[in-house]
Amino acid sequence: MAVRNVLVTGCSSGIGLAVAVHLARDELKRFQVIATMRNLEKRQALEKQAGSVLKTTLELKELDVTSAESIRRCVDSIPQRRVDVLVNNAGLGMIGPVESQNMASIQRLFDTNFFGLVRLIQEVFPDMKRRKQGHIVVMSSVLGLQGLLFNDIYSASKFAVEGFCESLALQALKFGINISLIEPGPVVTEFERKLYEEAANMDLSAVDKETLDIFQGFYMAYSKEVFTALGQSPDEVAEHTMKVITAEKPPFRYQTNSLYTPITTLKHADPSGNLPLSAFHQMIFQHDRLFKASLSLLKMLQWRKRRDMDYNKSP
């Protein structure tokens, strides 16, 4: 089997870094990884993790998804412009009451999370269609399936990604191209740490007291517990992404965290949308003890899952 060129965006840290390194370290040497980032001055973490595969099965390039020119330069620098697999990972986060978000920040988030994906596909999709093969892997989120309290803008950007890819997938199949949406739940990364740091220091002067109490007293207080209960590591997500890329018939949607699946399933159980809204509203605002108990149960399940994974990996 020929070596496949894999272009990965947002590789300075987190999921992008983990995916790039996992693919480059593939024992069967099936991939040549082009790991990209907007600012090459942030390359140290990737270089350290890559180690011996750097400049062999992994090379670094500059790519800013908010710039069509930057994307074109990067793709043009690849021999025959051959991108066999595109892993769109670059993204921004945003949490907080909608009244506290300024429009410039919202537009910047969409410019990266949604329009960045569109720019990339506009550049590589025509070549893939001419070759009648290719795989577009998009790092989406379960928040592209189910909205979450105080994640209004971020969730909206992921809903846009999901709708765009679902529409494009119909055309892509005609040309032998697969599209896969990777949908993690919470992932413990530097991305998340910075996001919550920004939220703790954001200007909330325009927010009413009741909403402020919910955001600071409930959401911020319990978010860390949610990440402890449900959070995955970037390496876990990278392993799942590797499975999707190497699958004989890649799935269109793939959730990396089975513990989150029942939450997204609620939405499909009731076409009116009332069931998930009512369930979340009651759990958060009326039955907080049940919410706490659910987190404790999820923590135990996650611990057992990781223990079993470690056991299965041991010789």
Side-chain angles (χ1 to χ4, degrees):
M1 182 181 292
V3 173
R4 287 193 282 174
N5 285 342
V6 186
L7 176 64
V8 188
T9 67
C11 294
S12 61
S13 64
I15 295 173
L17 186 156
V19 168
V21 171
H22 268 69
L23 292 172
R25 289 187 177 278
D26 175 40
E27 292 182 357
L28 299 178
K29 300 187 184 302
R30 291 168 289 183
F31 309 106
Q32 180 65 36
V33 179
I34 301 103
T36 72
M37 59 188 72
R38 182 178 61 85
N39 183 0
L40 286 177
E41 291 182 2
K42 296 182 178 181
R43 61 196 294 167
Q44 290 84 2
L46 176 59
E47 290 180 332
K48 182 178 180 180
Q49 288 290 322
S52 62
V53 300
L54 187 65
K55 296 182 181 179
T56 55
T57 55
L58 184 146
E59 57 182 314
L60 275 70
K61 291 185 183 291
E62 181 181 330
L63 188 152
D64 179 357
V65 299
T66 67
S67 166
E69 182 182 350
S70 173
I71 293 169
R72 188 171 299 113
R73 278 199 308 269
C74 180
V75 175
D76 283 346
S77 72
I78 300 169
Q80 290 84 50
R81 288 174 48 92
R82 200 182 96 238
V83 177
D84 300 300
V85 182
L86 168 67
V87 181
N88 178 77
N89 167 75
L92 298 175
M94 181 179 288
I95 56 175
V98 68
E99 309 97 303
S100 65
Q101 312 294 355
N102 67 74
M103 195 55 65
S105 296
I106 293 171
Q107 290 173 336
R108 184 164 58 250
L109 180 140
F110 267 83
D111 198 24
T112 298
N113 293 10
F114 177 66
F115 292 111
L117 168 63
V118 175
R119 291 186 191 98
L120 282 162
I121 288 180
Q122 284 180 329
E123 191 63 38
V124 304
F125 195 49
D127 291 335
M128 287 183 173
K129 287 198 288 185
R130 280 191 289 272
R131 291 193 302 268
K132 301 288 192 213
Q133 62 179 8
H135 194 179
I136 297 168
V137 180
V138 180
M139 202 57 63
S140 182
S141 169
V142 291
L143 296 189
L145 300 172
Q146 176 70 60
L148 182 67
L149 187 69
F150 295 120
N151 280 260
D152 323 282
I153 306 302
Y154 179 76
S155 185
S157 73
K158 292 302 183 180
F159 265 72
V161 163
E162 294 264 336
F164 173 72
C165 289
E166 189 167 297
S167 298
L168 188 66
L170 296 171
Q171 180 193 158
L173 284 174
K174 177 68 175 174
F175 291 90
I177 301 165
N178 290 297
I179 295 180
S180 298
L181 288 159
I182 308 293
E183 298 163 336
V187 183
V188 183
T189 66
E190 183 71 7
F191 174 93
E192 300 295 342
R193 187 188 68 77
K194 288 181 179 178
L195 185 62
Y196 284 96
E197 271 186 9
E198 290 172 3
N201 297 313
M202 68 193 310
D203 180 8
L204 298 168
S205 58
V207 181
D208 63 273
K209 186 181 183 306
E210 188 173 1
T211 301
L212 195 60
D213 288 344
I214 298 169
F215 178 59
Q216 293 181 326
F218 177 82
Y219 180 84
M220 292 297 286
Y222 285 108
S223 59
K224 289 184 179 179
E225 292 192 37
V226 170
F227 268 80
T228 302
L230 288 170
Q232 292 181 295
S233 70
D235 285 335
E236 287 179 78
V237 177
E239 287 174 9
H240 285 289
T241 304
M242 180 88 149
K243 289 178 184 177
V244 170
I245 291 174
T246 57
E248 185 176 344
K249 293 183 178 179
F252 175 64
R253 283 193 170 93
Y254 184 98
Q255 290 189 32
T256 68
N257 194 331
S258 59
L259 294 180
Y260 212 98
T261 303
I263 299 173
T264 55
T265 301
L266 281 176
K267 186 170 186 175
H268 301 289
D270 178 11
S272 75
N274 290 330
L275 177 60
L277 283 175
S278 176
F280 282 119
H281 184 270
Q282 290 184 42
M283 186 175 289
I284 292 170
F285 297 115
Q286 297 175 19
H287 303 294
D288 60 326
R289 289 184 180 179
L290 176 60
F291 179 77
K292 293 176 184 178
S294 299
L295 284 179
S296 297
L297 175 61
L298 288 169
K299 285 179 185 177
M300 183 184 71
L301 291 173
Q302 188 74 303
W303 175 80
R304 291 182 62 181
K305 181 180 176 183
R306 285 174 177 160
R307 182 199 64 185
D308 292 343
M309 286 176 63
D310 291 340
Y311 176 79
N312 291 331
K313 285 181 181 178
S314 62

